[in-house]
Amino acid sequence: HRVTISSNSQEVMRPVRLTSTTNDVVDNDLVLNVDASSNVDSWRVTIEGNGYRETYGPFRRTSQRIGAAPILGTRQNGTYTARFEGTTADGRTMTKDQTFTLTRRASGTVSTAQRYSILFEFDDKSTITTYENFLRNEVAPKIGANANVYIHGHTDEVGLEDYNLDLSARRANEVRTVLERATSGKSVTYETYGFGEATNRAPFTNANPEGRYYNRTVIIDVVNR
């Protein structure tokens, strides 16, 4: 049975604060960019090298991030080939190969970040209005000058993949808009991403209703320098 707690008190909206160590952070990503002038409608990329081969996509946005840790594995460094395959709106195809190197960052001081999560109702991007006070009064004061803020949206796997990708990006951008207004005057770098229903990015499993519920989220990572 599922229990739903309803309350008008803002106290039930306050986050649970957790301390954890993780290597799965957005700034460890491999960033893929497509020239906007190429008129590519959708594209995918195959990364191969050192016994690794995986195809990612299809994507429709000009920029995409892929976690680098699974590609590098246990190696300290490695050279790989990325094969880009794009399709234009009129059906033309184009390919391009590019070689790149990954190097494991030397161990050093552990970077700390504050992480916040906002949950959305099913297909309801307007949930952000409920959290505006939380974003302005709880999250924004924790963002220091010269901070890097990574905002990434997620969805469950119900519905069309392209729709969910767009929905997660819209939700993340709404959160960014609130925080940018609340931190005006500070030199803050914001990066916003929508990962949709991507299982390799999902914070929870989609195998049960509770996991799908918690995957309808925008996660905010605040890294103060």
Side-chain angles (χ1 to χ4, degrees), residues 69-84:
I71 301 173
L72 191 57
T74 60
R75 292 175 288 275
Q76 294 300 309
N77 54 67
T79 300
Y80 303 85
T81 299
R83 164 156 288 192
F84 165 85

Side-chain angles (χ1 to χ4, degrees), residues 2 12 24 32 71 79 98 101 114 134-135 137 143 173-174 182 184-185 196 207 211 220 224-225:
R2 176 174 298 165
V12 299
D24 185 21
L32 307 175
I71 301 173
T79 300
Q98 183 167 331
T101 300
Q114 297 284 332
F134 169 68
L135 290 170
N137 301 326
I143 301 175
N173 284 324
E174 287 188 355
S184 61
I220 309 159
N224 290 307
R225 302 300 181 183

